[in-house]
Every structure is written in C-alpha cells, then in structure tokens.
Amino acid sequence: MKKLINHPDDFVRESLEGMAVAHSDLIKVHFEPNFIYRTDVPVPNKVALISGGGSGHEPLHGGFVGMGMLDAACPGEIFTSPTPDQMLEAAKVVSSGAGILNIVKNYSGDVMNFELAAELALSEGMRVLNILIDDDVAVQDSLYTQGRRGVGTTVLAEKICGAAAERGYELKQLAHLCRQVNINGRSMGIALTSCTPPAKGSLMFELGEKEIEMGIGIHGEPGRKRMPLRSADEITEMLALSIIEDAAYTRTLREWDEEKEEWVEIEIIDLPFKKGDRVLAFVNSMGGTPLSELYIIYRKLAQICEQKGLQIVRSLIGPYITSLEMQGCSITLLKLNDELIKLWDAPVKTPALRWGI
Amino acid sequence: MKKLINHPDDFVRESLEGMAVAHSDLIKVHFEPNFIYRTDVPVPNKVALISGGGSGHEPLHGGFVGMGMLDAACPGEIFTSPTPDQMLEAAKVVSSGAGILNIVKNYSGDVMNFELAAELALSEGMRVLNILIDDDVAVQDSLYTQGRRGVGTTVLAEKICGAAAERGYELKQLAHLCRQVNINGRSMGIALTSCTPPAKGSLMFELGEKEIEMGIGIHGEPGRKRMPLRSADEITEMLALSIIEDAAYTRTLREWDEEKEEWVEIEIIDLPFKKGDRVLAFVNSMGGTPLSELYIIYRKLAQICEQKGLQIVRSLIGPYITSLEMQGCSITLLKLNDELIKLWDAPVKTPALRWGI
C-alpha cells in the first residue's frame, strides 16, 4: 500500500488535524467525537445544516463546512458511517434554536445513525429534519443501500441549501428545498481503477487491466456491469444517457413528521429531464483522475446535452466527492430553476468551494 | 493504458475544448496555435501576463487564466514545451500596449521558446519581459533543465503578479515583483507512483512497489534519490527540511535588458528562510493523491514550521501543478511580506482559483 500516511489507525484523525490548522479561519475540528464545524456557530436565527458520512470522499463533507454551506460535518472512519453521538454533539454545538437539517446520503448505516441522532436531538428539545439524497441511477439495492445510493447531488444540495439557510429559509422550507434538489438531481459514475482503504491495506475490489466498472458506487459497490475499457466519448454517452433517459423513479423515503411526531414514508418521484430544461452539469473526479480528463468528459457531455435540448447554465468540474485515489469519474445533472440558480450563485466560503467572498 | 480519453493525438485539443465550453464566462480558447485567454482582453492599460508550458500539469496554466491572474496561457503537448508562435499569437491578442510579462518555468525548451517569442513580439513593437521561475531545491541540471527546475512557486507567482497587474503595476515593477517571488519561494516534490503520458502509452518511469522518488520533477525527472516508502511524517520532514535548511543558492538567469536591448545574465540569490519569517505553505498533489493525504502532510509541515520559527500566514492545499495521475505531492514555502500578502488576498476569478468575487 503506497500512501502518504503514518499509521492507518491515525489516518482520519491526522487528516482532520491538518484540516484544522490549514483552515483555522473557517473551521474548527472537535475530536472524540469527531466533527468539523464553522468557527462562527451558532449563527443566530439560522437553520443549521449538518451532513456526514464515511471518510475517504474528501472534500465531501468537511471541506464544505463554512459560510453558505454546512454548519458541521461528521466524518466516520474510511467508508464507515459516523455514529449518532458525533451527530448529536455537532448538533448541540451548531444549534441556534432555529432547527437543524441533516442532509443524509442514502446508505443504510448513515440513514439509521442520522435517524437515531435526530431522535436524540429531538428529545433534547431541538427541531430536526433529515432529508435523504438518493440520486445514483446506476442500481437499486446495493451493498450498503436500500434503493438508490446518494452521490454527487449531495454536493449540490449542500451548496444550495447552505445558501438558502443563510438567506433565512426556515426549517420546513429548507427541507422542502433539499427534497427538490434530490428530486431534480441524477448521477452515475464509472471506475477505471479500484482504491485501497488504509485499514484494509489492499484493493477494495479487483478490476482487470482493461476492465472498467460502469455504475460504480463511491465505496466500490458493484455498478451495472463490468466491461472492457471504452473511449471517453463512449463512456460519457453511457453515463449521460443513463441519467437523461432513465424513466421516472418512484420511491418512498423516511422523513420525520413534526406534527405526527413519528417517521413517515414520503413518496418521492424524480422526474426525467426534458427538452428545454436548464441544468447544472457536474463532472466529478473519483480522486485519481486528472482534471484534463474531466474536461474531455465535459466536452462530450456538453454535446449530448445540446443534442437532448438541455441547456447547461452552470457547471462544476473537479474532485468533490471522491473514493480515495480511485480513477474514474461521475456525472451529475441537476435541473435548475431561477431559485436554484440564485442559491447556487450565492457567496460561499469553505475550504473546498469558495466564491463571491 | 487506462484513461478517460479518446485518441492520444486528440487529448490536448479535446481537453481544451472541454475547458472552453465549461468556462465560457471566463476564458476563450484559440486553436492552431493553441492558447487560452481571458474573454475581456486586452484589459486597458494593464500589463498582460502570459505563461505556458507542457500540458499534463492541469490546472496549471490554463486554469489560472482570468481576472487577477493570467491573461493567457500557452499549452504544449503533454510534457512538451509550447512553441513561439503560440506565445506570439497570445501576446498579440492580450496586449493592451502596457507591456507583456512572460512567467516562464525553468525548462530549457520553455526558456528558449519564450525567448524567441519575446524577440518576435519586440520586433513587432511590444514591450516584453520574461521572468524565470526556478524554485525546485531537489537537484540542479536535470533532464530538461539547466540549474533548478521551476515548479510550485510558479502558481504563487501567477497569482501574486496577476493581482499586481490588476492594480496597475507597470511592466518593470511587475518583473521585479515576479523575481522577488521566485527568490523567496522554494519547493520540493516526491512521487509514490509514475504516470502514463497518453502518446507514450506506458509509464514514464518505473518505480518499485515499495519505492518512492524523493525530489521528483513534474515530468518524472529523477530527483535526489530513490528510497523505500516512508511514513508521511518522515517524507514531510525530508521535503520541508530540504526547503528550509538549504543554503543560499546563487545563480544567473537570463532576462531581457530594455536599455541595452539584449539578453543579460542577472545574478539571483535565494535567501534561506529564517526564524520569524511569515510564509505561505503550499501542499500540492501531483494529481493522483487524495486531499485527505495532503492534509496529513500539511499537519506535519505546520509542526515543522512552528519548530523552525516560521509563521504560516497563508496556505494552499490541493492539485494545482500536477503530473497527470501521478501519486505524490510537493511542498512549496514562500516567504511573504505585507505587499505579497495583500496581493495574495486580492480577488481572483479563474477556473481553478477563485475568491473575493
């Protein structure tokens, strides 16, 4: 295993320590339990946004803590869900009294622990809502997931909801907005190589020398199929058409009902893209793929969107939701409206995403 | 070769096409000859900044074109110097009449071609100065270089001089500033893995399974030595101490003398860091190393700087000057003063670096 690490057991802690000293103007890190939080929390009268998940996807989520995005992020061990005590302690630190929105990627461990954390926070008198992101069109019922996995749309939801919280959206409005982002975002990824979790010390999965995994999950979960390496244009077409042409997907997701005071199943339908839609096009590196290749993917994606009548009005290109050093990429398309565009463009100041300030 | 590409011959062009459509609000791309330029050039009364070099180091340089940084960037083929005609055509497009500063990494091909381009531009009546960056303390007289190679300090010079040009520094002031950045910046890198240039189709060099190259060049040039993989802390210490403890380095670099109208040799001495210095700490990924590992490096670097009495007042962490998908990192320390800090903090809006706007 060739990595710039000391001991695998210290990987997450030392990486967080590095973040803390590098970005002390923006964030602080609390250890045991681990969470990253804005230096200026609680922000008076603002709904606090919390996310989290296994480490190994950096900059997600810790790199998105700061003005205009998350109030706190809870990192688990590599590819391992964070625990409810992390989320509860983070909630206590960032809570202004205006409520807490947990943005949760749809992995069973994350969902369960964020539900437990929400119940603990509720019992301490906080208002908390959890919204799930399940945007990965590749497969349903994966290794660690019921239904679709949550991937690239999470980054966009954190940015958009972060801006909305900053502008005074109250908790229910914000939960609604986050749900809308999820409904309008779709993703799919591909792996050229595997990656090596430090504690495992060996490849997470094996891929043949000329083989790729179409529809890969960010923890190496199997995708739709393995196939021989194709050209960038063919790969982009497979990803983009899977995203654009997928039929409407109806599923139920669990959310907390504040009136009934219980978890309820909400029916969510993601509507397929249609001609004339304005979209944000997000081409993401899995970690080990250089920017030059992402632009080759973006080039073809832009052509396909044009053919399909989708107008790309915003874009994001780079490593934002990664799988350690895995080579590969994912594409996310998010249908935008005027509100989402305004929120996307709003100022943000985090370690990994910054503009307007 | 596993890459997200179509044909190796189309790699650079297609990547540039992707950049152009992705960032049409900031940049345009001219093809044959290839260069990337700001949409709003020529910027009246502003000295124009141009840089360039082989492709494969993205986002350097094209990703740094925009308000507050470069006016144009000339990308060569992968790891191959751009040609004088690219530089000349770029100069014609961005020239406002206030002069042109070429920021040139010290590789023989780049130096020669930027000198030729400067002479061509001079003969067309433009004022042009070239400043070389040669900050890599690892080795002298490398595969493609006389003296020290130019690496990470280039990114910082482009940002700082870009801000200064925006504020109205005239050409000679700007050349002086760029020289000062070079004198005060030092870098060194390490490779855990090699990388595969698309046209070659095979690894640029071979590294054993547990072997690293200390002092690697960004084109895979040999460094100081090969050694068994060490811990992140040991590697950071070797890089940081090489940078901090290196003796003063005196060399002559060629610059254009406007009065004499000829190339002259300028003696340049880089002064070692000393206790109390304020520095910018830049931890750079070679392309394939994830952010989480960069933070582990940064953590130790911050400790070493503290022990050495260096005060880190600004930082930059991420993939900014890369070697395709190479795993590894480099460290750059730049001594700052109030002027440099103000220029570093000034607004910038480019595809790869953006803040304050």
Side-chain angles (χ1 to χ4, degrees):
Chain A
M1 172 173 57
K2 262 185 170 178
K3 286 180 182 290
L4 294 169
I5 64 171
N6 293 304
H7 192 281
D9 293 349
D10 302 326
F11 185 98
V12 170
R13 182 181 51 77
E14 291 184 349
S15 186
L16 290 173
E17 287 175 3
M19 271 198 86
V21 285
H23 306 294
S24 58
D25 53 329
L26 302 175
I27 57 163
K28 287 186 182 174
V29 179
H30 184 282
F31 292 94
E32 296 183 23
N34 295 348
F35 57 91
I36 298 153
Y37 62 103
R38 280 173 65 161
T39 50
D40 57 348
V41 288
V43 182
N45 305 317
K46 192 183 85 69
V47 176
L49 262 65
I50 301 179
S51 191
S55 292
H57 308 301
E58 289 70 25
L60 185 87
H61 299 272
F64 301 138
V65 173
M67 201 292 292
M69 230 166 149
L70 299 177
D71 291 77
C74 304
E77 287 300 310
I78 299 284
F79 300 158
T80 303
S81 295
T83 53
D85 65 314
Q86 291 175 260
M87 302 157 184
L88 177 63
E89 291 307 313
K92 287 182 191 168
V93 167
V94 302
S95 172
S96 71
I100 296 195
L101 181 73
N102 289 322
I103 301 180
V104 185
K105 301 196 301 303
N106 191 35
Y107 298 97
S108 303
D110 292 18
V111 174
M112 186 178 70
N113 288 353
F114 266 108
E115 284 191 5
L116 278 169
E119 287 171 9
L120 292 169
L122 284 161
S123 74
E124 300 208 11
M126 293 182 243
R127 276 184 74 196
V128 187
L129 293 176
N130 289 10
I131 295 292
L132 302 185
I133 305 290
D134 65 336
D135 61 318
D136 187 342
V137 302
V139 291
Q140 289 181 44
D141 301 334
S142 195
L143 267 186
Y144 315 113
T145 312
Q146 298 296 313
R148 277 185 181 171
R149 303 175 296 222
V151 287
T153 299
T154 315
V155 177
L156 312 180
E158 292 177 4
K159 168 67 185 82
I160 288 168
C161 295
E166 219 67 61
R167 288 174 179 222
Y169 281 46
E170 62 86 42
L171 182 58
K172 275 198 174 172
Q173 270 183 300
L174 213 53
H176 176 72
L177 176 71
C178 194
R179 206 182 293 117
Q180 290 310 112
V181 173
N182 187 37
I183 288 171
N184 287 293
R186 286 177 170 187
S187 303
M188 192 156 129
I190 186 192
L192 300 188
T193 67
S194 183
C195 64
T196 301
K200 187 168 187 281
S202 59
L203 288 172
M204 193 160 50
F205 60 95
E206 299 284 341
L207 260 182
E209 225 175 276
K210 298 195 163 181
E211 206 178 30
I212 59 177
E213 177 88 34
M214 176 59 67
I216 190 76
I218 56 171
H219 314 96
E221 304 97 312
R224 287 189 179 176
K225 61 176 170 179
R226 298 213 166 172
M227 55 178 70
L229 179 63
R230 311 282 176 98
S231 73
D233 282 359
E234 288 170 297
I235 287 172
T236 308
E237 194 163 297
M238 294 177 85
L239 292 173
L241 295 185
S242 298
I243 289 169
I244 297 170
E245 296 182 344
D246 212 42
Y249 169 59
T250 305
R251 72 282 204 186
T252 54
L253 295 175
R254 274 163 65 91
E255 293 187 15
W256 182 255
D257 187 310
E258 290 194 299
E259 282 69 44
K260 294 185 185 160
E261 296 192 353
E262 62 181 27
W263 296 95
V264 296
E265 308 251 306
I266 308 274
E267 189 176 84
I268 306 270
I269 308 172
D270 89 331
L271 298 171
F273 296 96
K274 58 182 196 303
K275 222 170 176 155
D277 279 352
R278 291 174 295 169
V279 297
L280 186 158
F282 172 24
V283 175
N284 172 62
S285 163
M286 291 302 202
T289 280
L291 192 55
S292 46
E293 296 179 26
L294 299 184
Y295 282 123
I296 293 175
I297 298 292
Y298 187 88
R299 169 186 169 274
K300 182 66 181 175
L301 177 62
Q303 292 170 0
I304 295 169
C305 283
E306 195 176 344
Q307 284 156 14
K308 292 284 176 183
L310 304 182
Q311 190 193 350
I312 299 179
V313 294
R314 293 294 182 275
S315 65
L316 183 69
I317 299 157
Y320 293 104
I321 169 171
T322 63
S323 299
L324 295 170
E325 71 282 1
M326 183 187 285
Q327 285 176 38
C329 73
S330 63
I331 291 175
T332 299
L333 292 179
L334 172 68
K335 182 179 166 179
L336 295 172
N337 59 26
D338 290 343
E339 179 191 22
L340 296 189
I341 290 173
K342 204 161 73 180
L343 294 169
W344 177 258
D345 289 343
V348 62
K349 189 173 182 180
T350 71
L353 219 57
R354 180 172 171 185
W355 56 70
I357 200 163
Chain B
M1 172 173 57
K2 263 186 170 176
K3 287 181 181 293
L4 295 169
I5 64 172
N6 292 303
H7 192 282
D9 293 348
D10 302 326
F11 185 98
V12 170
R13 182 181 50 78
E14 291 185 349
S15 187
L16 290 173
E17 286 175 4
M19 270 198 86
V21 286
H23 306 293
S24 58
D25 53 330
L26 301 175
I27 58 163
K28 288 185 182 175
V29 179
H30 184 282
F31 292 94
E32 296 182 24
N34 294 348
F35 57 92
I36 299 153
Y37 61 104
R38 280 172 64 160
T39 51
D40 57 348
V41 288
V43 182
N45 306 315
K46 193 183 84 70
V47 176
L49 262 64
I50 301 180
S51 191
S55 292
H57 308 301
E58 290 70 24
L60 185 87
H61 299 271
F64 301 138
V65 173
M67 201 291 293
M69 230 165 150
L70 299 177
D71 291 78
C74 305
E77 287 299 311
I78 298 285
F79 301 157
T80 303
S81 294
T83 53
D85 65 313
Q86 291 177 259
M87 301 157 185
L88 177 64
E89 291 307 312
K92 287 181 191 167
V93 167
V94 302
S95 171
S96 71
I100 299 205
L101 181 74
N102 289 323
I103 301 179
V104 185
K105 301 197 300 303
N106 191 35
Y107 299 96
S108 303
D110 292 18
V111 174
M112 186 178 71
N113 289 353
F114 266 109
E115 283 190 7
L116 280 169
E119 288 171 9
L120 293 168
L122 284 161
S123 73
E124 300 209 11
M126 292 183 244
R127 276 184 73 197
V128 187
L129 293 176
N130 289 9
I131 295 292
L132 302 186
I133 305 290
D134 65 336
D135 61 318
D136 188 342
V137 301
V139 291
Q140 290 182 43
D141 302 335
S142 194
L143 268 186
Y144 315 112
T145 313
Q146 298 295 313
R148 276 184 182 172
R149 303 175 297 223
V151 287
T153 299
T154 316
V155 178
L156 312 180
E158 292 176 4
K159 168 67 185 81
I160 287 167
C161 295
E166 218 68 60
R167 285 172 183 225
Y169 281 44
E170 63 84 43
L171 181 59
K172 276 200 176 173
Q173 269 183 301
L174 214 52
H176 176 73
L177 176 71
C178 193
R179 207 183 293 118
Q180 289 310 112
V181 172
N182 187 36
I183 289 171
N184 287 293
R186 288 176 167 187
S187 303
M188 191 158 132
I190 186 190
L192 300 188
T193 66
S194 183
C195 65
T196 301
K200 186 167 189 281
S202 59
L203 288 172
M204 193 160 49
F205 59 95
E206 299 283 341
L207 259 182
E209 225 174 277
K210 298 196 164 181
E211 207 178 28
I212 60 176
E213 177 88 34
M214 175 59 65
I216 189 78
I218 56 171
H219 314 96
E221 304 97 312
R224 290 190 178 176
K225 61 175 172 179
R226 297 212 165 175
M227 55 177 72
L229 180 62
R230 311 281 175 100
S231 72
D233 282 358
E234 288 170 296
I235 287 171
T236 308
E237 195 163 295
M238 295 177 85
L239 293 173
L241 295 185
S242 298
I243 289 169
I244 297 169
E245 296 183 345
D246 212 40
Y249 169 58
T250 305
R251 71 282 202 184
T252 54
L253 295 175
R254 274 163 64 90
E255 293 188 14
W256 181 256
D257 187 309
E258 291 194 299
E259 281 69 44
K260 295 185 186 158
E261 296 192 352
E262 61 180 29
W263 296 95
V264 297
E265 307 252 305
I266 308 274
E267 189 177 84
I268 306 271
I269 308 172
D270 89 330
L271 297 171
F273 296 96
K274 59 180 197 302
K275 222 172 176 152
D277 280 352
R278 292 174 295 170
V279 297
L280 186 158
F282 172 24
V283 176
N284 173 63
S285 164
M286 291 302 204
T289 280
L291 192 55
S292 46
E293 296 180 28
L294 299 185
Y295 282 123
I296 293 175
I297 298 291
Y298 187 88
R299 167 186 170 275
K300 181 67 180 175
L301 177 62
Q303 291 169 1
I304 294 169
C305 284
E306 194 176 343
Q307 284 156 14
K308 292 283 175 182
L310 303 181
Q311 192 193 348
I312 301 179
V313 294
R314 293 294 182 275
S315 65
L316 183 68
I317 299 157
Y320 292 103
I321 169 170
T322 62
S323 299
L324 296 170
E325 72 282 2
M326 184 188 284
Q327 285 177 37
C329 73
S330 64
I331 291 175
T332 298
L333 292 180
L334 173 67
K335 182 178 166 178
L336 295 172
N337 59 25
D338 290 345
E339 180 191 20
L340 297 188
I341 291 173
K342 206 162 73 181
L343 294 169
W344 178 257
D345 290 344
V348 61
K349 190 172 181 182
T350 70
L353 219 56
R354 181 173 171 186
W355 55 71
I357 201 162

